[in-house]
């Protein structure tokens, strides 16, 4: 069986770890609590489902298997894609929050 390069997996796990940590921080600060809980759920369950399904794949890489199963309409593949989309939305929200804070600080200084 083939697998993705180690650097791809390192980047993937770093992003998942940052997602979990930022979700916990937002929960502790009581900011965007529902979105944080949803993000934590998807950032934990999505990679687990992806990993377990990758163990039983026939040939090709994990991404090849995901894309093939997605075209076959498998529920787990749609769940993993939904988890990835939600995590991207989380990062866009984090970027918006961080850039918003920076602009507020700049406006206060002038």
């Amino acid at each position: 069986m083939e697998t993705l390069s180690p650097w791809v997996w390192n980047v993937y796990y770093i992003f998942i770890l940052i997602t979990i940590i930022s979700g916990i921080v937002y929960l502790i600060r009581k900011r965007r609590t529902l979105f944080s809980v949803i993000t934590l759920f998807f950032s934990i369950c999505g990679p687990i489902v992806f990993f377990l399904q990758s163990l039983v794949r026939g040939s090709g890489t994990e991404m090849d298997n995901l894309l093939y199963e997605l075209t076959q309409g498998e529920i787990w593949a749609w769940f993993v894609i939904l988890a990835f989309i939600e995590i991207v939305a989380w990062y866009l929200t984090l970027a918006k929050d961080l850039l918003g804070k920076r602009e507020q600080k700049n406006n206060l200084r002038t």
Side-chain angles (χ1 to χ4, degrees):
M1 270 192 292
E2 298 176 43
T3 189
L4 297 171
S5 301
W7 71 267
V8 173
W9 287 115
N10 290 336
V11 169
Y12 175 73
Y13 289 123
I14 287 170
F15 274 107
I16 295 301
L17 184 62
I18 292 170
T19 306
I20 292 170
I21 291 170
S22 63
I24 291 171
V25 167
Y26 267 60
L27 272 179
I28 290 171
R29 291 184 178 175
K30 294 181 171 74
R31 296 186 61 212
R32 301 185 188 273
T33 54
L34 179 61
F35 196 28
S36 300
V37 169
I38 293 170
T39 299
L40 285 171
F41 171 76
F42 279 126
S43 64
I44 293 170
C45 292
I48 290 172
V49 170
F50 183 58
F51 173 74
L52 292 176
Q53 291 298 323
S54 294
L55 289 177
V56 297
R57 72 183 190 280
S59 63
T61 65
E62 293 84 357
M63 291 305 292
D64 293 336
N65 183 51
L66 175 65
L67 294 176
Y68 174 75
E69 296 293 333
L70 191 62
T71 61
Q72 299 301 310
E74 292 291 327
I75 299 280
W76 75 266
W78 285 104
F79 177 79
V80 169
I81 293 298
L82 179 65
F84 289 154
I85 291 171
E86 197 279 336
I87 290 171
V88 168
W90 176 254
Y91 276 103
L92 292 174
T93 303
L94 285 179
K96 180 183 165 190
D97 287 352
L98 293 175
L99 291 176
K101 282 184 181 180
R102 182 176 291 170
E103 287 179 12
Q104 284 178 350
K105 286 181 181 178
N106 288 338
N107 288 339
L108 291 175
R109 291 181 186 168
T110 55

